[in-house]
Amino acid sequence: MEYKTNKNQQLSLFEPSATYQFKKPSLNQEYKMSDNYLQSWKKRIYNYQQEAKKEQIKQTNLLTSENNITWDTDNFDPFSIPTHTDQFYNLPKYNESESCLYFILDTELPLLLYVGETKLSPYQRWLNHDCKSYIQRYIELHRQYKITTTVRSAFWWGISPERHIRQRLERDLILKWRSPFNKESWQHWGQPFK
């Protein structure tokens, strides 16, 4: 980053006359996280998510559907449900549509990487999903540095077919866990795998 000021003047953060210029990387230049930074990045997320998991519920966040079915996002733990291979969408049993929230986990540390919602089958939802490329880059970087990772998926089935309810549940879980592959969390963790 370069700052343009008069030679004998101290740069002021509050002066509108100070001009900031950012050097953009060349198009051929590819940036990659170092192994130490990757480990540090994961540890920060892990520490945050462990605190979120332990946090005492001051006010329960219950979302009730018109059929009086209640979903409690504050007490829901995505690590408590059965997990599946990261290639779950290719399995035949995931061709059927059913409303669900789905989670991408790295069960090695453990980390909640992504929260999503759908009424489509997991196969249909993942055909062109951006998160697939994030996961692939995440796994490749771990392999390059010979860091063990186990990416798994998990599903909370039977969620409301009403989109606004699914989206609210999804949002509440993203805000609680700050899953790093969700765009709502990029302000906290950056976008290293985009």
Side-chain angles (χ1 to χ4, degrees):
M1 182 181 338
E2 291 179 4
Y3 304 102
K4 283 188 177 180
T5 61
N6 294 335
K7 287 181 185 180
N8 297 325
Q9 249 185 350
Q10 181 178 0
L11 178 66
S12 170
L13 295 175
F14 303 103
E15 284 183 29
S17 60
T19 306
Y20 306 98
Q21 290 183 340
F22 294 93
K23 287 189 174 182
K24 292 184 179 179
S26 70
L27 294 176
N28 316 2
Q29 204 169 6
E30 203 172 298
Y31 288 94
K32 181 172 38 174
M33 237 189 240
S34 70
D35 58 345
N36 288 337
Y37 190 84
L38 174 61
Q39 302 265 21
S40 169
W41 182 81
K42 289 173 58 178
K43 189 68 174 167
R44 287 193 329 267
I45 296 166
Y46 172 80
N47 289 338
Y48 176 84
Q49 291 182 351
Q50 288 302 302
E51 284 303 312
K53 194 175 190 175
K54 285 190 267 185
E55 190 178 280
Q56 289 288 69
I57 310 302
K58 293 181 179 102
Q59 181 180 13
T60 305
N61 183 12
L62 299 175
L63 192 59
T64 306
S65 73
E66 61 188 33
N67 299 329
N68 290 326
I69 298 171
T70 302
W71 295 281
D72 179 1
T73 56
D74 283 331
N75 290 311
F76 176 74
D77 180 0
F79 298 98
S80 68
I81 55 180
T83 63
H84 310 278
T85 172
D86 66 316
Q87 299 291 315
F88 67 89
Y89 49 87
N90 287 326
L91 299 172
K93 69 180 181 177
Y94 293 112
N95 283 329
E96 296 177 20
S97 296
E98 184 180 343
S99 296
C100 70
L101 291 176
Y102 56 94
F103 309 91
I104 303 300
L105 310 162
D106 182 342
T107 57
E108 197 64 37
L109 193 48
L111 296 174
L112 174 58
L113 298 172
Y114 186 80
V115 177
E117 63 80 21
T118 190
K119 71 174 182 176
L120 301 173
S121 72
Y123 177 79
Q124 292 167 322
R125 179 66 184 106
W126 277 80
L127 281 175
N128 296 307
H129 202 297
D130 288 342
C131 191
K132 277 174 40 179
S133 62
Y134 305 165
I135 294 165
Q136 187 61 38
R137 288 184 201 113
Y138 180 82
I139 292 170
E140 286 171 0
L141 195 59
H142 280 75
R143 286 181 182 155
Q144 179 182 345
Y145 295 133
K146 296 177 177 40
I147 300 171
T148 306
T149 185
T150 308
V151 175
R152 306 282 291 169
S153 59
F155 301 91
W156 187 4
W157 298 105
I159 297 299
S160 174
E162 296 174 44
R163 188 168 192 217
H164 72 279
I165 292 177
R166 289 194 320 273
Q167 288 177 330
R168 169 118 182 255
L169 292 166
E170 174 191 36
R171 188 204 63 203
D172 289 349
L173 288 166
I174 291 168
L175 293 176
K176 176 182 178 179
W177 294 92
R178 290 188 185 170
S179 41
F181 292 175
N182 288 97
K183 65 182 173 192
E184 296 86 349
S185 301
W186 291 349
Q187 63 184 323
H188 304 289
W189 316 120
Q191 305 175 47
F193 299 101
K194 187 166 186 326

